[in-house]
Amino acid sequence: MNISAALGFLWEYRQALLIGLGNTLYFTALGLLVGLVIGFVVSVVRTAGHPLLKLVATGYVEVFRGTPMLIQLFWFFFCLPALLGVELGNVFSTILTLSLYMGAISSESFRAALKAIGTEQRDACIALGLPGRVSVPYVILPQTVMRAVPTLLSNCVTLFKESALVSTVGMADLMYQGQMIADSTARPIEILTATALIYFIIAFATTRIVTFYEQGYLARMRL
Amino acid sequence: MSSSFLNVQGLRKTFGGHLVVLDDINFEMQAGERVVVIGPSGSGKSTLLRCVMGLEKIDSGRIELEGTPYIEANANRRKDNFVDIAVRNKVGMVFQHYTLFPHLTVLGNLILAPMRARGEARASATDRAMQLLRRLGLEAKAGAFPGMLSGGQKQRVAIARALLLDPKIMLFDEVTSALDPELVTEVEGVMLELAEQKMSMMIVTHDMWFAKRIATRVIFSANGRIVEDCPPAKMFSSPSEPRTADFLKKVLHVETIS
Amino acid sequence: MGGYTWDFSAITRNWDQLMDGLAVTLQLTGICTVIGLVGGFLVCLMAMSRLAPLRWIAVAFIELFRCTPALVQIIWIFYCVPFFFGVFFDPFLMAVLALGMNITAFNAEAYRAAIQAIPSSHEDACTALGLSPLKKTVYVILPQALLMATPVLLTNTIGLLQQTSLVAIVAIADLMYQGKTLATQTYRPIEIYTAVAFIYFAFSLPLSQVVGLWERRLRSRLA
Ligand SMILES: Nc1ncnc2c1ncn2[C@@H]1O[C@H](COP(=O)(O)OP(=O)(O)OP(=O)(O)O)[C@@H](O)[C@H]1O
Ligand SMILES: [Mg+2]
């Protein structure tokens, strides 16, 4: 295969690929934002909530971690609107699925970090007379986030990769665009390889940041 | 109501209902007293301090400070204790493992509670914090994170953090036990200085020489009860209970210290 | 809401077809689990070997498969392997190839993390006790590493079970594929997709409970 011919071919379709990448990043970012909020709330509920709420939160996490994201996607695309009797819109369904998935996986990361803070820090808060409205935002949350950041970043990578599934319900993300071009031009090798490389570069760079953060920042802080 | 400063009445504490750690503890303390609690490992010394601090749910009894009950067991044992937080906040505590907040600087650790819980202005809290740090020779460390300090420095910061809240009484639970021997004296020095200023203190320590030096009163506890309660001179020279003598003999390898 | 009338006969009538799909899903999961356990260990050994080229190949393999979406891997292999090698394998075999390499990469990383988590003092202790390098590896390092890697390996297996649903996209008749087919055939997507989700969940949940148990046991044993 001729490399420069391949690059020339790819260059022709840069626009379509970029649009796909933009959509992938857009879906991932929104799913991430909503998912992280859900994840933190769920982890706090599971650590220190009312028993009934705890049960609901645990059920949510287990179901979303225990079923393929593909089926979740199909469910939110084809079942939920019919059940509710309303049109949800494809973008909404996509982001809903990604958010709930991210919420489930990130709640586990938050929970592990919450556990790692330990009772001694809580004792210190009481001994200093810090009420919950002070200890949660100024002591517990910052330490939880700092400890959780490495796993949360890998959760982000996971979400980014899983987001490729939205192509199967016709959302025009990077994977979808790649496949469309591959099918219409009958030149899958170049385009699919390029698609894979784009995913790889972004995901790999993020995992490097994780390592850097763990070795540098966290080690210095001796958290 | 009584006239004493700290008053613990009928304090009973169990873990899980069956493991009785403190069994009907009654004890009073006057302002300015320095009570050292000694006793075998597992006898409930830490638990006693934690109860006074309000860190443990007690099974029965009540604790008063300056005549005001601030912790009281609920008649219904499933319910939470009654806790008067305003009074409890007059009690300060320092732990064996420092428990500084690792994500805040030394100064940040000191001013967090005055600013966020007591509404003091940042400038004034910082001012008082720096004064205190200067007194403890830690001025240069104000901007450092706890992870970069030695154990002795960490423990002095922890003491400063508690002192900045103007406690009426300070509780020290084995604050030198995790330190390298050469760092012990710098922390003990701070405590002796507090003693000179007539700070009321309850101290748990395994260092009998330090106990003798700082205490105005020594309590020997075993099996969840107060076995003996007397001035240090008597405790370390002629304890009246055979169990006390036995314990002292074991930890000191001699009959008495003088 | 509430207006929907459930009709579970869509599931009961087509139960056999769903079970056929489940059989394929479980076969895929089983075969790839074995590949992943063995292959992952070998790749981990390569990644930690003294020979730099071996190490590079292994690390590149691990990162490549960990940092791209599984969907991309499957599609790429389905499109490109026939092109490069000029042969059409059986689709099931291709799926095994794709998922097997994916799980191999993740398991290799799990083994490596576990081995690196063993404190270096154990190495010193072995030297002090006069154990040969081989004995040290077999009796001290490996048992501990396996113990610690087990929860991660199990979690990876749960992930694999869910990833197998991706093969539905390349028309392998697994559980997900049968679900998709039935959903369109019966016009009962809600019942079918919910049932399919339940079946996946029924297999994931016990596994994730085992993971939780194992982790608690590990913590108390190694504390
Ligand atoms: N959170 C807990 N749950 C169950 N048992 C506990 C708990 N904390 C303490 N105990 C038990 O209570 C008893 C008293 O513990 P405590 O820590 O008060 O002893 P101590 O006198 O401070 O001992 P040491 O000198 O070793 O510090 C011990 O038997 C201990 O195992
Ligand atoms: Mg103790």
Side-chain angles (χ1 to χ4, degrees):
Chain A
M1 202 188 330
N2 185 332
I3 296 282
S4 68
L7 286 178
F9 168 70
L10 286 174
W11 186 248
E12 271 177 57
Y13 287 95
R14 66 186 183 281
Q15 201 71 37
L17 284 178
L18 276 179
I19 289 173
L21 178 61
N23 280 333
T24 288
L25 293 177
Y26 173 72
F27 297 146
T28 309
L30 277 183
L32 215 82
L33 270 174
V34 183
L36 285 175
V37 175
I38 297 176
F40 184 71
V41 173
V42 166
S43 70
V44 172
V45 168
R46 284 187 77 185
T47 316
H50 185 273
L52 195 69
L53 280 176
K54 234 183 226 178
L55 200 71
V56 173
T58 308
Y60 156 70
V61 174
E62 289 292 351
V63 166
F64 277 80
R65 278 165 38 102
T67 53
M69 172 136 139
L70 197 56
I71 192 93
Q72 295 164 21
L73 204 58
F74 278 40
W75 209 90
F76 283 113
F77 261 76
F78 305 123
C79 303
L80 190 64
L83 270 180
L84 298 178
V86 289
E87 202 51 57
L88 288 178
N90 286 348
V91 174
F92 182 85
S93 290
T94 301
I95 290 167
L96 181 67
T97 314
L98 293 180
S99 303
L100 287 174
Y101 181 79
M102 182 67 186
I105 59 175
S106 69
S107 82
E108 291 287 287
S109 315
F110 279 123
R111 203 159 73 107
L114 270 177
K115 265 197 202 148
I117 289 180
T119 51
E120 289 191 343
Q121 291 278 318
R122 287 165 230 264
D123 288 348
C125 288
I126 296 177
L128 289 171
L130 299 179
R133 70 177 159 79
V134 177
S135 63
V136 171
Y138 292 101
V139 178
I140 307 296
L141 184 67
Q143 285 188 57
T144 309
V145 171
M146 280 158 123
R147 274 172 199 273
V149 159
T151 28
L152 286 178
L153 273 174
S154 16
N155 293 157
C156 294
V157 174
T158 306
L159 183 73
F160 171 70
K161 290 187 298 170
E162 291 286 311
S163 78
L165 290 182
V166 306
S167 65
T168 62
V169 286
M171 302 305 290
D173 75 332
L174 179 58
M175 182 66 204
Y176 182 86
Q177 298 289 69
Q179 246 183 310
M180 288 305 274
I181 303 168
D183 284 343
S184 63
T185 59
R187 291 179 70 170
I189 309 274
E190 294 91 335
I191 212 81
L192 287 181
T193 307
T195 307
L197 272 180
I198 297 174
Y199 276 110
F200 176 78
I201 289 165
I202 295 175
F204 184 71
T206 314
T207 59
R208 287 305 94 176
I209 296 174
V210 176
T211 319
F212 179 76
Y213 177 88
E214 276 180 323
Q215 288 172 353
Y217 196 60
L218 278 189
R220 199 148 10 101
M221 203 71 101
R222 279 185 227 166
L223 266 176
Chain B
M1 298 276 149
S2 63
S3 62
S4 56
F5 171 70
L6 180 76
N7 190 355
V8 177
Q9 295 171 4
L11 171 59
R12 184 182 157 83
K13 167 71 192 166
T14 65
F15 284 108
H18 46 87
L19 178 63
V20 182
V21 177
L22 296 176
D23 192 5
D24 193 30
I25 298 280
N26 290 287
F27 116 101
E28 292 183 21
M29 179 177 157
Q30 301 305 324
E33 272 197 291
R34 297 182 295 279
V35 178
V36 170
V37 184
I38 60 172
S41 183
S43 61
K45 306 178 297 289
S46 299
T47 307
L48 175 61
L49 257 57
R50 292 173 59 80
C51 287
V52 172
M53 185 68 248
L55 294 172
E56 299 283 353
K57 182 178 178 296
I58 63 177
D59 292 64
S60 55
R62 74 156 130 192
I63 309 175
E64 300 176 359
L65 188 68
E66 297 178 315
T68 320
Y70 69 101
I71 292 173
E72 206 165 343
N74 198 310
N76 183 347
R77 295 171 83 230
R78 289 183 185 285
K79 293 250 173 76
D80 282 342
N81 292 160
F82 158 80
V83 180
D84 183 333
I85 291 173
V87 177
R88 189 189 64 184
N89 284 351
K90 296 178 185 169
V91 182
M93 182 160 180
V94 184
F95 304 87
Q96 181 176 352
H97 295 290
Y98 330 119
T99 60
L100 295 176
F101 303 133
H103 63 297
L104 297 176
T105 60
V106 166
L107 185 62
N109 265 277
L110 261 66
I111 63 175
L112 178 68
M115 272 174 62
R116 304 292 172 194
R118 305 217 169 153
E120 187 176 348
R122 177 182 290 272
S124 114
T126 307
D127 233 38
R128 294 196 304 120
M130 290 309 292
Q131 253 174 39
L132 192 54
L133 287 176
R134 203 168 303 139
R135 231 179 73 199
L136 298 177
L138 289 163
E139 205 183 355
K141 298 291 179 192
F145 283 95
M148 311 189 288
L149 303 181
S150 76
Q153 289 168 335
K154 276 189 228 178
Q155 202 56 292
R156 283 184 291 150
V157 171
I159 296 175
R161 185 174 71 172
L163 284 178
L164 204 61
L165 295 165
D166 290 323
K168 298 267 178 178
I169 175 170
M170 287 279 285
L171 313 176
F172 295 89
D173 187 9
E174 295 196 38
V175 293
T176 56
S177 296
L179 299 180
D180 291 337
E182 75 270 22
L183 301 177
V184 168
T185 40
E186 67 182 63
V187 174
E188 289 183 347
V190 175
M191 292 167 72
L192 288 167
E193 207 180 295
L194 285 176
E196 266 169 39
Q197 296 158 14
K198 300 281 176 277
M199 170 65 81
S200 310
M201 303 192 235
M202 270 183 89
I203 300 164
V204 172
T205 180
H206 284 292
D207 181 343
M208 296 305 146
W209 277 269
F210 179 63
K212 184 163 186 281
R213 216 170 138 198
I214 197 163
T216 57
R217 219 170 111 196
V218 181
I219 285 177
F220 173 71
S221 78
N223 298 327
R225 289 175 176 278
I226 293 178
V227 176
E228 190 155 359
D229 178 350
C230 60
K234 174 152 189 330
M235 178 68 81
F236 294 118
S237 58
S238 53
S240 40
E241 292 285 329
R243 262 200 293 178
T244 318
D246 225 42
F247 170 76
L248 288 172
K249 201 163 122 186
K250 269 192 208 129
V251 294
L252 295 168
H253 311 293
V254 290
E255 292 295 321
T256 54
I257 59 176
S258 42
Chain C
M1 188 152 188
Y4 188 81
T5 20
W6 292 79
D7 176 11
F8 289 104
S9 71
I11 302 165
T12 47
R13 263 185 292 116
N14 299 296
W15 187 248
D16 288 344
Q17 203 175 328
L18 285 177
M19 287 303 107
D20 287 348
L22 178 62
V24 175
T25 293
L26 292 182
Q27 267 177 42
L28 260 179
T29 310
I31 296 172
C32 294
T33 299
V34 174
I35 294 179
L37 287 177
V38 179
F41 190 70
L42 295 178
V43 173
C44 162
L45 288 185
M46 274 173 70
M48 300 180 81
S49 102
R50 288 210 184 88
L51 287 173
L54 268 185
R55 219 163 48 222
W56 293 332
I57 293 172
V59 170
F61 174 84
I62 293 173
E63 296 295 351
L64 209 59
F65 277 88
R66 273 163 48 90
C67 289
T68 49
L71 181 62
V72 174
Q73 292 160 20
I74 290 174
I75 302 276
W76 196 93
I77 287 174
F78 266 77
Y79 275 94
C80 303
V81 165
F83 179 89
F84 279 125
F85 298 97
V87 281
F88 277 94
F89 289 123
D90 175 48
F92 186 84
L93 213 64
M94 301 266 266
V96 167
L97 186 68
L99 291 169
M101 291 206 281
N102 182 280
I103 186 83
T104 294
F106 278 89
N107 282 354
E109 192 57 32
Y111 286 120
R112 189 162 70 152
I115 291 175
Q116 281 172 350
I118 297 171
S120 59
S121 58
H122 287 218
E123 302 250 350
D124 300 344
C126 288
T127 314
L129 290 170
L131 291 180
S132 69
L134 181 68
K135 286 204 170 120
K136 176 187 79 183
T137 311
V138 173
Y139 294 112
V140 181
I141 307 294
L142 271 189
Q144 286 192 73
L146 285 179
L147 213 61
M148 284 197 273
T150 301
V152 189
L153 294 173
L154 268 174
T155 308
N156 289 351
T157 306
I158 301 176
L160 172 68
L161 170 68
Q162 293 165 18
Q163 298 284 30
T164 59
S165 67
L166 297 180
V167 303
I169 290 158
V170 287
I172 291 174
D174 76 328
L175 178 58
M176 184 73 207
Y177 182 83
Q178 300 290 16
K180 255 172 79 174
T181 315
L182 287 173
T184 18
Q185 268 175 18
T186 60
Y187 299 107
R188 284 277 161 196
I190 300 186
E191 287 83 351
I192 298 284
Y193 283 139
T194 308
V196 169
F198 258 108
I199 298 174
Y200 277 110
F201 186 58
F203 282 89
S204 300
L205 187 67
L207 278 175
S208 86
Q209 298 299 319
V210 172
V211 173
L213 258 174
W214 195 286
E215 279 176 341
R216 247 165 287 150
R217 234 190 62 192
L218 260 190
R219 256 200 301 279
S220 57
R221 267 183 68 168
L222 299 179

